[in-house]
Amino acid sequence: MKFALDFLDAVPDDHPDAGRADAAVERLRALVGPDGSLPVPGGTDGERLHLLDVAPRPRGRSRALFTADQVAADLDRLEAGQRDDGGWTFDWLAWSPGQSAEWRGLVTLRALRVLAAHDRLG
């Protein structure tokens, strides 16, 4: 789902296939849960893709799948996930301490980028 939405978001609005991209996004609506998240089949217990994981850009075509309230709630969730050390963590299985350090850094950069795009950084 994430990669499909990334692909569809990349179609420019003035492209001849923009209407097809909009229709494809709409067909994915049935896969989205009421809170805007998606379970990860085969993932860790309770692992989910959140709204901002699949539609991080404020003006992306994929945002049509979500309400303003869902977006605000997920931005609040993302902000609340910041740890005392200033970083964010992930909810998938970490196989080694080195992997945890690498992924935490990437997840932190992504969180900051998403929050900045939504004017949520102080």
Side-chain angles (χ1 to χ4, degrees), residues 87-88 102-116:
W88 278 260
E102 280 186 20
W103 274 110
R104 279 204 68 213
L106 290 169
V107 169
T108 296
L109 289 173
R110 185 184 176 286
L112 291 169
R113 187 174 57 199
V114 169
L115 292 171

Side-chain angles (χ1 to χ4, degrees), residues 3-71:
F3 299 116
L5 290 174
D6 284 346
F7 175 77
L8 295 167
D9 278 348
V11 176
D13 290 337
D14 60 352
H15 191 278
D17 290 326
R20 289 181 59 203
D22 290 336
V25 167
E26 191 57 38
R27 285 191 300 274
L28 296 172
R29 182 176 299 282
L31 302 174
V32 177
D35 65 350
S37 70
L38 302 154
V40 177
T44 61
D45 205 19
E47 184 179 347
R48 301 189 69 76
L49 287 176
H50 297 280
L51 184 159
L52 295 170
D53 297 327
V54 298
R57 291 174 289 285
R59 288 163 292 289
R61 173 174 276 107
S62 57
R63 278 299 174 84
L65 295 174
F66 309 103
T67 67
D69 288 343
Q70 288 173 321
V71 173

Side-chain angles (χ1 to χ4, degrees), residues 81-96:
Q82 189 173 22
R83 303 295 172 120
D84 289 340
D85 65 2
W88 278 260
T89 194
F90 51 91
D91 63 356
W92 60 84
L93 184 61
W95 295 99
S96 71

